Amino acid sequence: FKRQFGIGKYIVDFYCPKKKVVVEIDGATHSTDKEVFNDNFRQRYLENLGLKVIRFTNLEVGQNMDGVLSEINEVCGKN
């Protein structure tokens, strides 16, 4: 995985080029209507490039790292 990787005009949190997987970690600022719209637009852009985007909240990462890593592993295993 590459951290803070540029794809087009966007910078994603983590990117695995071999598996074409993007992992985004969303903080509290991603809960406003404007940010949800922007995140959805950005996700569609990335998916149109053939990438799989998976999202987690900061809370999920902080409280359930094993679950987060398990889901990332599962998604990467399918690609």
Side-chain angles (χ1 to χ4, degrees):
F1 277 87
K2 298 176 184 258
R3 187 170 184 264
Q4 298 293 297
F5 187 78
I7 300 174
K9 66 179 185 175
Y10 299 108
I11 297 175
V12 299
D13 292 329
F14 299 95
Y15 175 56
C16 179
K18 183 176 181 182
K19 297 293 186 171
K20 295 185 176 183
V21 172
V22 171
V23 177
E24 291 284 79
I25 311 298
D26 296 336
T29 61
H30 290 264
S31 61
T32 67
D33 289 342
K34 180 180 179 182
E35 287 303 318
V36 169
F37 176 84
N38 289 340
D39 286 344
N40 288 335
F41 185 85
R42 174 177 143 137
Q43 183 162 335
R44 283 192 304 275
Y45 171 82
L46 296 168
E47 289 171 343
N48 283 334
L49 295 176
L51 306 176
K52 171 71 176 169
V53 178
I54 53 178
R55 294 184 166 281
F56 301 98
T57 65
N58 284 344
L59 188 62
E60 288 175 294
V61 172
Q63 294 183 348
N64 186 20
M65 180 59 85
D66 288 342
V68 168
L69 293 174
S70 178
E71 186 171 340
I72 293 169
N73 189 47
E74 183 178 327
V75 168
C76 287
K78 291 180 180 177
N79 288 350

